[in-house]
Amino acid sequence: MATTITINVQNNSPSLQNFFFFQQPAIYTGGPEVYTNSLYSQALLPYATSGAILTFSLILQDYAGVQQQVTPPTVGKPSGQLSATQAINVTPAEHQPRIRRR
């Protein structure tokens, strides 16, 4: 089941600032490195002079996916690869309580 999160950003500095939002990269075992880019970026005027507030919403959803293996990205160069994803519902594993014996 997906969960929506809303983040409100207020620039309290006296000048225009650029805000970047990142996600923690997924952790994989036995595979190549995983790279991630910012999810979103936006310049924001000072709140004191503009009253501007940046509202950023996202939906937390688990996905299963596959991705084409590519060479590591080069800084300043476009990158991309083929991928396929599917939203999934994750069911927790059964928890077996331990019985302590003395």
Side-chain angles (χ1 to χ4, degrees):
M1 183 158 123
T3 301
T4 301
I5 293 179
T6 300
I7 301 170
N8 295 308
V9 180
Q10 180 176 308
N11 178 5
N12 290 324
S13 77
S15 59
L16 178 78
Q17 297 292 322
N18 291 307
F19 289 89
F20 294 83
F21 299 89
F22 293 87
Q23 70 177 12
Q24 179 178 350
I27 298 171
Y28 296 99
T29 57
E33 290 188 45
V34 176
Y35 299 91
T36 185
N37 293 315
S38 66
L39 296 172
Y40 183 73
S41 66
Q42 181 66 49
L44 187 60
L45 291 168
Y47 180 77
T49 58
S50 69
I53 294 179
L54 172 62
T55 300
F56 175 73
S57 294
L58 59 125
I59 299 172
L60 298 181
Q61 171 69 56
D62 292 304
Y63 285 86
V66 295
Q67 179 178 337
Q68 176 186 23
Q69 183 175 354
V70 296
T71 57
T74 303
V75 175
K77 301 283 185 180
S79 64
Q81 66 282 332
L82 297 174
S83 64
T85 58
Q86 175 69 46
I88 59 171
N89 290 321
V90 179
T91 304
E94 291 293 323
H95 177 67
Q96 300 293 330
R98 289 186 169 192
I99 299 172
R100 284 184 138 177
R101 297 185 182 191
R102 293 180 183 216

